[in-house]
Amino acid sequence: MKREQIKRRTILSTAAGVLAAGAVTTLPQHAYAAADEPEQLGDYASHVAEGRSVTVTSVTGQRLRLTAYGNQMVRVRAARAGEDFFSDTRYEMVQPQSHTSLGGSLTLKNNTNTLEFDTGAGDGLRIVLNKKPLRLEFYARDDGDLLVKEDSTRSITWSGSNHSVATEAFVPPSSEERFLKAGHGVLGRTPRLDRTGDTVSHNYADAAAAADNPNNQAPAIVPFYLSSQGYAVFFNTTFDTTFSFGGSNGYRFSADAHDAEGVRPQLDYFLINGPRFAQLLDRYTQLTGRPRLPQLSIFGLHMSDKSFASESDQDWWREKIGQHRAAGFPFDHQVNDNRWREGSGSWSGSWFEFSDERWPDPAGYRKWAADNGVTVTLDYNRNNTNEMAGWKGGPRPGYSIAAADLQKVKENNAVPDWSNPDARAWVWKVFWDKALDPSLGFPGDALWIDETDDLGGIPYTARMADGRTWAEDRNAYFLNLHKGVGEEGWDPSGAGHIGPAKRPWTWSRGATAGQQRYGHYWTGDISQTYDEMRNQIRGMQTAGLGGFPFANIDGGGFDGGTVSDAFYRNWPVAWSSLSPIWRPHTSASVKDHGKRASRWPLDQSVQAQAEFAKYGQLRYSLMPYIYTLAHQAHATGMPMARAMVIDYQDRTRAYNHDLQYLWGPSLLVAPLTSDGGGSQQVWLPAGTRWYNFWTDAKHTGSDTTDLSYTTRTGETPLFVKAGAILPKYPYAQSTAHLTKRQLEMDVYAGADGVFELVEDDGVTEEYRTAGRTSVTRLTFTDASTRVVIAHPRGTYDDAPGGRRYVVRIHGLNSPVGMRVNGGATLPAFTSEAAVLLSDKGTGSVWNAGTKVLSVITPEITVSTGSGNAAAIEPSGASFPQVGGGTVYQAENARLDSAYIIDTVHSGYTGAGYADSTGTAAAGSTLAWTVAVAAAGRKQLVVRYANGGTTDRPLDIDVNGTKRGTLTMPPTGGWDTWASASLTADLPQGENVTVRATLTGGQGANIDSLTVL
């Protein structure tokens, strides 16, 4: 988009006051009584340069200070005569070390009518300060393009009663400039991504709003916005802010003290240069802090017990998770609502401590959870704070706010003042003493900190423990809390803290800018409607635009009873599984509404269960891709769910297609926000070929027309860019059980591609404190159909020493012979499983229906450093004749109650194996339906693992006639697989039944049946 260029002669000759005429735009209305006469910056009197700052004084004693933060950011501060600038660390939204660590310089030129400043880089910023009156202009230094400027009528202003409102106003934006406001208002709701022409206020719910609607909760308070002109602004204040992006209120932003006595807002903002949105997010999170990377398990499935508030306890959790896993569903993270807590076990009258009645053996449960790949969230509700050990009411030395200021607050005997370091230390000590101290051996990997956002009834004039008014501190409430739990509580090494041994996942209802470096947030008690779903899709994106890439949303909504089957399939299943945190959750009670009120898939329809399993397998197999996105979010601030504008900043359609997003660099997600059966318009950007993920159908991108996509309930429209490389692991039901010894990747022909896979131990902070990660570069050259897998750079504890690679190339017209590392043409097989089960262990497979060519390598030793592990390319020969048998996976067999689907032990093929449970007995069966093209004698091969010490035989029958017995001797371990076989006459037919029956009380784990 066009930008106005700076003219050197204009800087030198333009007289003050004639730069850009125009009427003063109407000021936003503020909550002050009688307004004082507004005050603007006056004329230049003098300036002083000191280090990377320049301070300019006006003829009336006002001061303007410019400070370089690195080469691409400049801080602007203004103070009225007689006022000192606030200290750098007054607002800790900017991480304190950034004030010194980013360095920077300003080169100053003193001209007749202007002061001119350059930041240190040739592509950095140029700031022009007109002298009469003092007015700012910001330019891109390399090309001279104007970013934004003030004029004689629009500038820094102090207004309102006692000048309690500080405003920066710029000249009206061009018709081409578009604005994106980071963060979101209450409950995560965002009406649109493009806020051009809008006036936006995202603040802690005020007293009037709280009185009218106490559910005004969970804002993401991020006073930061991005412009399509290639710059961003971060407003460094915790007073209430209002941003106007053109229209009747002009282009301005302001901070309001609501006429509370004491300190008034100062104008303090950072102007950040891009020009690309990705650069702006990177620099913004350099300034305010990189998003905290959670454990790997947090990117698995989360489920809660909220719908089972009258029955859940530690035995219920074991049973529920076991049933869920037995049916083949994944599960990683257990979210405890109130029932785990001592006392009533309900929202009121319970406190942060394990219940002797409902959780009599938390240490035993912790061992079970570790064995089964389960991590655990424990919740804290603000309203029960006074029930917790050691609570002191009242203001300092107590931990609360003065009672006189809490008269309009519910549960006002339990209101912590998180500005008080003693209160922060106290709550951490409770968390530690009652759950998180490792010596206890209790479950506890995460903290859910609820209802910290329902204090809107506190008057603005209330005094906090840090001496500030509530008008100044309320927007910092979330940040202060997370500082106490994160930086001061969890992070230090030594007694009373967890330190780097385990990463926290701490989430509150609402957020403050800068909180991302300590913890996370969720969008609160949202509604169960498609309108809400649309709001949350946009809210997820605006959170990512403000440094919160791990948006955490109640999948399906919280408030209400049961939802329709279509709604469940479209939101808790399909969309939530393709969002940063997959956490279906609702307040609906199974006791009151029946089991369909639950969000657990086994309580839903057969179709919903099938789709839950499909999306579960998709998400978990894509975990190396997803976890790499999480690492990128931590390293650069890039959201996991990218608004289309991030990658397509210069394309008009990106600004109005805000119900779709990019899931990393390669996938485009367009959630279905209505019941299926209609037509949905999806924008596939021009310049690339796009694949329908579900069908592999190819589409050409366009910037003039949308794709009209015929929808189906439960299917999120999902597309893949040509050139994409999607790394995968074999599916497992817990991230703890994913095997890294087999790295898979789906490659989409039509363009060259690169992906750098990031891996670590998934639990500790060593990725950050010790650089313990590995980065594996994957490249695809389209013209030669060549995939190269480099040896990893770096390593970490338990990194695999050897790997098998499975490469699937999509979009080919026909198969060709393939080779690995210059070797001979690989043999061809009927399926990937057939390759893995063959004596060769390497080969290729052509799927004529989907046009996908798979190549499976032998296991290759991994060497840390340079060089390539594998080069996979055409050999020059034609595709070989297909050999091998047909493999039937055990997870697709008919299992009786003695078997469950499991993935704990690695080395299986497919999506799991049939696990013979403790209830197994003689006569227990699993049966496959096989297709036999021609009757005759066939070899039946059963792949199994027997970690016991004795044989675990199976009788094999065909269509009810016994054909023999497989002895199934011990294999030496449950991760060690072997094969047992017999030959039998099979009839011709599509529905021949091969049944395996236990002859004793214990059975082996069964991976597959192969018919040769």
Side-chain angles (χ1 to χ4, degrees), residues 37-56:
E37 186 69 23
E39 176 185 337
Q40 288 185 293
L41 276 176
D43 292 350
Y44 168 89
S46 63
H47 72 271
V48 175
E50 185 177 4
R52 57 196 176 104
S53 295
V54 176
T55 303
V56 179

Side-chain angles (χ1 to χ4, degrees), residues 14 40 113 129 196 243 279 301 338 391 453 478 544 605 627 746 760 771 789 805 819 946 967 988:
T14 301
Q40 288 185 293
N113 298 316
L129 178 61
T196 307
F243 294 81
Q279 294 171 302
L301 176 66
N338 314 138
W391 167 254
D453 55 352
F478 306 120
S605 71
Y627 192 55
D746 281 49
D760 62 21
I789 302 156
Y805 301 101
R819 65 184 181 185
N946 178 358
T967 57
Q988 186 274 334

Side-chain angles (χ1 to χ4, degrees), residues 297-345:
S297 69
I298 299 305
F299 300 103
L301 176 66
H302 303 211
M303 298 299 295
S304 85
D305 61 346
K306 181 66 175 178
S307 295
F308 302 87
S310 62
E311 58 183 296
S312 66
D313 57 22
Q314 64 181 40
D315 293 333
W316 177 91
W317 272 109
R318 282 195 186 100
E319 182 180 0
K320 196 72 173 175
I321 295 170
Q323 291 171 346
H324 185 79
R325 290 260 186 87
F329 299 112
F331 184 92
D332 257 84
H333 195 70
Q334 168 182 330
V335 180
N336 287 283
D337 212 286
N338 314 138
R339 284 277 292 175
W340 75 279
R341 299 192 309 228
E342 189 59 274
S344 67

Side-chain angles (χ1 to χ4, degrees), residues 46 79 135 176 197 308 367 470 509 577 601 683 691 736 787 849 861 940 961 970:
S46 63
R135 298 294 183 264
E176 294 181 323
F308 302 87
K367 293 176 182 177
W470 180 242
R509 198 171 68 182
S577 70
W683 174 48
Y691 289 77
V787 175
T861 300
L940 304 179
T961 301

